[in-house]
Amino acid sequence: MKLPTSTEWVLHCAASLAQLQPGETASATQLATYYDLPAPYLAKQLQALTRAGILAASTGPRGGFRLARPAADITMLQIVEAVDGAVAPYECREIRQQGRGALSAEECRETCPLARTMAEAHDAWRASLAAVSLADILAELPSGAPARTRRILTG
Amino acid sequence: MKLPTSTEWVLHCAASLAQLQPGETASATQLATYYDLPAPYLAKQLQALTRAGILAASTGPRGGFRLARPAADITMLQIVEAVDGAVAPYECREIRQQGRGALSAEECRETCPLARTMAEAHDAWRASLAAVSLADILAELPSGAPARTRRILTG
DNA sequence: GGTCGCCTACTCGGATACGTAATGTCCGAGTCGGAATGG
DNA sequence: CCATTCCGACTCGGACATTACGTATCCGAGTAGGCGACC
């Protein structure tokens, strides 16, 4: 069970974009330079966030990415699932219905306890991430951080 | 973020082994036949559980696998981490210390809020799985299940 | 008939190929800003 | 001096190699039980 490396990238990028002022944008190249990341691959991930409706993209000179809605309305879960997909890590293939000890369809009306337990754990994980928004993250940074980020990122 | 397919296999196998009586064992071949799984690969996963101290293996004729300790002392988390490894899905590589916007080591004394949030979510997931033991799973099965499992599995 | 020894068959354990998905890179389509030009 | 037109450069978007991991398989070492021979 492993999240893509790019998860950390987009989380930090989203946090940086949240520190910009309304109307300002940052290009994929600027963000890649800011964190020393491979620019083309980072752009690919930012596109995924755009498709998910988390970021908005502008083309042309002075274009780039910005948050599609207020930082308080963007949760960690939304960002993570945008890059990794929203599929549960445990996929029940109903092996209890296969082989020598196969159960009848009648006996499988109830979801098997194993799958249910795994699903509950996944729900707990999702709830924990959904409880934290980008605004909550920004609130934990030093008060001077946004100005510094804007100056270095766009400079 | 995806768990190996074999996770479902070993969970079901562990549940089946928990239904055996003390002293009884089931070989990898028997378990593979019971669930219609590729025997050699299943054996590889059962070995991982043996190394983790969850199962005990006996060689020779009439040998096989059995639980290494009572079902109440084996949690879902222990089984899952035995096959998947115990590494957290989100690995913080401290990209905030790289690139144009790198923070000084002084400013990174505190773990970054993003990594902390991801770690808390992982803790919630682990706690949810650690709260359920194999004995809890067995308690949800029909009362006649153990006898049926033993008959088909060892027969 | 009992006991000892050997042998066979079955078990797990680790080392070895294959397929798929994430990682990393590239080039093309579209668009806005700016400069040069003409009025 | 101002408006217009054209050009250029920068942006995102999707399509293409490369690498690493999970999947699947095989063969070898070790052991307990069963059979036969011997006492």
Side-chain angles (χ1 to χ4, degrees):
Chain A
M1 190 174 56
K2 191 169 69 71
L3 284 169
T5 307
S6 49
T7 306
E8 183 182 5
W9 305 355
V10 296
L11 284 175
H12 278 277
C13 286
S16 294
L17 291 175
Q19 297 176 2
L20 297 181
Q21 290 190 343
E24 287 184 324
T25 61
S27 71
T29 302
Q30 287 173 322
L31 287 167
T33 303
Y34 188 84
Y35 289 115
D36 190 22
L37 302 175
Y41 188 39
L42 174 63
K44 182 186 178 69
Q45 308 306 327
L46 295 176
Q47 289 169 25
L49 267 71
T50 302
R51 278 193 297 271
I54 297 171
L55 299 185
S58 310
T59 65
R62 307 280 301 170
F65 294 94
R66 62 175 176 82
L67 297 186
R69 52 179 183 273
D73 295 341
I74 298 177
T75 67
M76 296 270 292
L77 178 64
Q78 292 166 349
I79 298 174
V80 171
E81 292 196 336
V83 296
D84 186 55
V87 294
Y90 180 84
E91 184 188 3
C92 181
R93 298 188 184 178
E94 292 288 337
I95 65 171
R96 60 178 177 172
Q97 297 186 32
Q98 300 174 0
R100 184 111 165 64
L103 299 177
S104 67
E106 188 71 16
E107 296 171 295
C108 298
R109 295 287 294 276
E110 301 283 337
T111 60
C112 81
L114 296 171
R116 193 170 49 73
T117 302
M118 296 301 294
E120 286 172 357
H122 186 52
D123 289 341
W125 182 80
R126 295 181 77 249
S128 183
L129 288 183
V132 179
S133 71
L134 268 186
D136 297 328
I137 298 294
L138 294 191
E140 299 197 33
L141 299 178
S143 57
R148 177 181 183 276
T149 300
R150 289 179 53 222
R151 176 166 43 82
I152 299 178
L153 180 58
T154 64
Chain B
M1 190 173 59
K2 192 168 69 70
L3 284 169
T5 307
S6 50
T7 306
E8 183 182 3
W9 304 356
V10 297
L11 284 176
H12 278 277
C13 285
S16 294
L17 291 175
Q19 296 176 2
L20 297 180
Q21 291 190 342
E24 287 183 325
T25 62
S27 71
T29 302
Q30 286 173 324
L31 287 167
T33 303
Y34 188 84
Y35 289 114
D36 191 23
L37 301 175
Y41 187 39
L42 174 63
K44 182 186 179 68
Q45 308 305 328
L46 295 176
Q47 288 169 26
L49 267 71
T50 303
R51 278 194 297 271
I54 296 170
L55 300 184
S58 310
T59 65
R62 308 280 301 168
F65 294 93
R66 60 176 177 82
L67 296 186
R69 53 180 184 271
D73 295 342
I74 299 178
T75 68
M76 296 271 291
L77 178 64
Q78 293 166 349
I79 298 173
V80 170
E81 292 196 334
V83 296
D84 185 56
V87 294
Y90 180 84
E91 182 187 3
C92 181
R93 298 189 183 178
E94 292 289 336
I95 65 171
R96 61 177 176 172
Q97 297 187 31
Q98 300 175 0
R100 184 110 165 63
L103 300 177
S104 66
E106 189 71 15
E107 296 171 296
C108 297
R109 296 288 295 275
E110 301 284 336
T111 60
C112 81
L114 295 171
R116 193 169 50 72
T117 302
M118 296 300 295
E120 286 172 357
H122 186 51
D123 289 342
W125 182 79
R126 296 181 76 249
S128 182
L129 288 183
V132 179
S133 71
L134 268 187
D136 297 328
I137 298 294
L138 293 191
E140 298 197 34
L141 298 178
S143 57
R148 177 181 183 276
T149 301
R150 290 179 54 220
R151 177 165 43 82
I152 298 178
L153 180 58
T154 63

